Amino acid sequence: QEIEEPFESPVEQLRQEENQKTPSSLESAGPLAGLSGVLSAEPGVARIRKPGVYSTKIRVTESQQEHVELLQSLLEDEGKPQPLPKKSPISQQHILRWGIAIVLLLAIFWSILFSEEQLALPIYDEGSSEVNRLINQMPENARVLVGFDYEPGLADELDATALPVFNHLMNQGALFTFISTSPNGPILAERFIQASKIENEYINGLDYANLGYIPGGAAGLISFIENPPGTTPYSIEGLAVWETETGEPLPPVVGINQITDYEMIILLVDDPDLARIWIEQLSPYITNPQTLASLVLITSAQLEPVVRPYYESIPQPVNGLVVGLRGGAAYSRLIGGDQLPGKFWDAFGMGTFVAALLILVGGLAYWVAPELSRTVRGQEKVD
């Protein structure tokens, strides 16, 4: 007979199998310490050890190290105040500047102190000669409109330039009407006519009329050109200039009803915009073949490049041109008078000549000095 084995449950079988296995060692280190039956970790991983020490220095070459030290020195010196170098109270540049100024002043004062004529006046100037021809063709007691549109800063130059022209007109018996689009113009006109009375006595209201200031810029000038009596009915003294119901017009404006009734229009100007406005507004009247009036410009030398194209163009909106002290001196020679430009011409010419001579000498010295220094250095090396 077969002997039946006793029945064992699965739990008991598993327990017997566990007891038959060799007991595993307990974990003694790491996060699983004290547990058994776990997968053992690698010894190098489970062992707690001190982390290694690594150097923070960068491996650099000697050239790189030099650049680092240079940058470090620059950063260290950036915040430190640097002492200013001591300057000599008298430097070479100061001596040179004072020397040039003294030479120029001596040349100018030499011309002023000696009254005799040292430099001849300009023989011929085309624009001045044309103005002289136009004035010689004018009838006696001709009516002339004069625009004073320059600033006081250039009064000396323009007064010296215009004085010979006005003395010629006064000798011809011309009667003036003064007008200006600048607030300073009426005062400058009175100042100028007082200076012109050295040779000719002109009376306000009889020989000339000062109509004062026209406001509005270009619009005011257009209004005056189209209707002179309606734009400026009174002079700066408050006198009625034009013909009214109660009185006759002043002698300088007798027979003047429109702008083309004047025999000549003279403009004293130093601003290119004002010159352009006057020329552009008067051009339709001046270039008209039926108009007998002529336009003459008296300007400073700095304005010549702007206004000369109007004089040289065809049709010609500007009939005569007197530019700067040279133009006034040339006109003074044409009329044969000892005018203001002739008194200034010697000082102006001598100062210009000495200035040009100093520029020439300075340029030669600037070019020769390096060449001499190179020659001296080459000789020293040879020795």
Side-chain angles (χ1 to χ4, degrees):
Q1 296 181 349
E2 294 181 359
I3 300 174
E4 296 181 357
E5 294 180 359
F7 174 78
E8 293 180 359
S9 64
V11 176
E12 290 179 354
Q13 292 180 359
L14 290 174
R15 187 176 297 170
Q16 289 178 2
E17 291 178 357
E18 288 292 334
N19 292 333
Q20 292 176 359
K21 293 179 179 179
T22 58
S24 60
S25 60
L26 297 176
E27 293 290 334
S28 60
L32 302 179
L35 299 179
S36 62
V38 296
L39 295 174
S40 61
E42 294 293 332
V45 176
R47 188 184 304 116
I48 298 176
R49 64 182 182 274
K50 186 177 180 181
V53 179
Y54 300 95
S55 175
T56 57
K57 293 184 178 181
I58 303 175
R59 295 180 180 179
V60 295
T61 62
E62 294 181 359
S63 176
Q64 293 173 341
Q65 185 64 31
E66 291 177 358
H67 286 82
V68 170
E69 293 176 355
L70 178 61
L71 179 60
Q72 186 176 2
S73 63
L74 291 175
L75 295 175
E76 290 177 354
D77 296 339
E78 185 177 0
K80 297 179 181 179
Q82 299 294 332
L84 295 176
K86 294 183 179 180
K87 293 184 179 180
S88 175
I90 300 177
S91 63
Q92 186 178 1
Q93 291 185 353
H94 287 87
I95 296 174
L96 182 61
R97 292 173 183 173
W98 278 107
I100 293 174
I102 291 172
V103 171
L104 288 174
L105 290 175
L106 287 176
I108 293 172
F109 281 117
W110 179 270
S111 302
I112 295 174
L113 294 176
F114 292 92
S115 58
E116 63 270 10
E117 183 177 334
Q118 299 177 3
L119 298 177
L121 296 177
I123 298 176
Y124 177 77
D125 182 78
E126 181 182 356
S128 300
S129 300
E130 184 64 20
V131 175
N132 182 67
R133 185 187 67 82
L134 292 173
I135 294 176
N136 288 330
Q137 291 178 353
M138 290 171 55
E140 188 177 356
N141 297 328
R143 271 64 179 176
V144 178
L145 176 66
V146 184
F148 281 83
D149 268 346
Y150 61 92
E151 295 300 322
L154 291 177
D156 290 337
E157 180 187 4
L158 286 177
D159 288 353
T161 304
L163 188 60
V165 180
F166 276 81
N167 281 333
H168 190 190
L169 288 168
M170 290 177 179
N171 292 331
Q172 296 286 100
L175 302 179
F176 301 116
T177 302
F178 298 147
I179 197 69
S180 177
T181 61
S182 171
N184 299 319
I187 305 301
L188 294 174
E190 290 292 335
R191 172 183 173 275
F192 179 80
I193 201 66
Q194 294 297 327
S196 301
K197 287 182 179 180
I198 298 174
E199 298 183 3
N200 303 277
E201 186 68 27
Y202 263 52
I203 301 174
N204 188 5
L206 182 62
D207 299 308
Y208 73 93
N210 193 341
L211 302 184
Y213 164 61
I214 302 177
L221 181 60
I222 294 172
S223 176
F224 177 79
I225 292 173
E226 295 177 351
N227 185 15
T231 305
T232 55
Y234 300 99
S235 66
I236 59 174
E237 292 84 8
L239 301 176
V241 178
W242 311 93
E243 184 177 2
T244 60
E245 297 178 356
T246 59
E248 295 292 329
L250 297 180
V253 297
V254 172
I256 303 298
N257 298 314
Q258 54 187 358
I259 197 70
T260 54
D261 290 334
Y262 287 102
E263 278 80 10
M264 179 176 287
I265 302 172
I266 299 177
L267 175 61
L268 283 76
V269 64
D270 65 341
D271 184 82
D273 293 331
L274 288 177
R276 178 179 54 81
I277 291 173
W278 273 88
I279 295 171
E280 290 179 354
Q281 301 307 323
L282 290 172
S283 179
Y285 302 92
I286 300 300
T287 56
N288 189 346
Q290 299 179 356
T291 301
L292 299 178
S294 56
L295 176 61
V296 171
L297 259 63
I298 301 176
T299 67
S300 62
Q302 66 182 8
L303 198 62
E304 181 179 8
V306 179
V307 298
R308 182 161 289 278
Y310 293 105
Y311 172 70
E312 296 178 351
S313 63
I314 298 175
Q316 196 176 30
V318 177
N319 306 112
L321 186 63
V322 183
V323 179
L325 190 60
R326 185 181 187 280
Y331 200 94
S332 179
R333 182 165 185 167
L334 285 173
I335 62 177
D338 185 15
Q339 305 295 338
L340 191 60
K343 298 177 181 179
F344 292 162
W345 184 250
D346 288 342
F348 175 77
M350 185 62 69
T352 304
F353 173 75
V354 173
L357 186 62
L358 288 174
I359 293 173
L360 178 61
V361 172
L364 290 175
Y366 182 79
W367 177 74
V368 171
E371 298 295 332
L372 292 177
S373 62
R374 291 192 191 100
T375 304
V376 172
R377 291 175 184 173
Q379 292 178 355
E380 291 177 355
K381 290 180 179 180
V382 171
D383 295 340

